[in-house]
Amino acid sequence: MNDAPMNKDRWVEVFVATGLDEPMMQRWHAEFEHRYPEGHQAFLEWIKLSAEDIARIRSAARAAA
């Protein structure tokens, strides 16, 4: 088992391994943002995204919802 800290690349590996493609990942973000905006923010910080990336992802997620 690899105990390295979680980051975006590792999370995307999990998504891809479970069969999610890019549109499905975007939908996942949109649902997360719509239902739990504070949790979505905390998750994006947890996977070590920059403030700029977080703002971009959350804005796109709000626009898609």
Side-chain angles (χ1 to χ4, degrees):
M1 174 182 242
N2 188 337
D3 289 331
M6 185 55 71
N7 62 30
K8 176 188 172 188
D9 293 337
R10 298 181 96 197
W11 193 260
V12 170
E13 283 179 12
V14 171
F15 273 175
V16 170
T18 60
L20 273 69
D21 59 13
E22 189 63 31
M24 293 168 94
M25 288 183 233
Q26 291 170 359
R27 183 69 188 156
W28 182 88
H29 279 288
E31 285 296 321
F32 202 166
E33 181 67 25
H34 174 73
R35 295 170 186 258
Y36 311 105
E38 295 84 14
H40 192 214
Q41 174 76 29
F43 168 76
L44 296 171
E45 291 172 358
W46 177 65
I47 61 169
K48 316 270 188 285
L49 293 183
S50 69
E52 294 80 18
D53 284 343
I54 290 171
R56 180 184 50 77
I57 289 167
R58 292 189 71 195
S59 177
R62 285 189 296 271

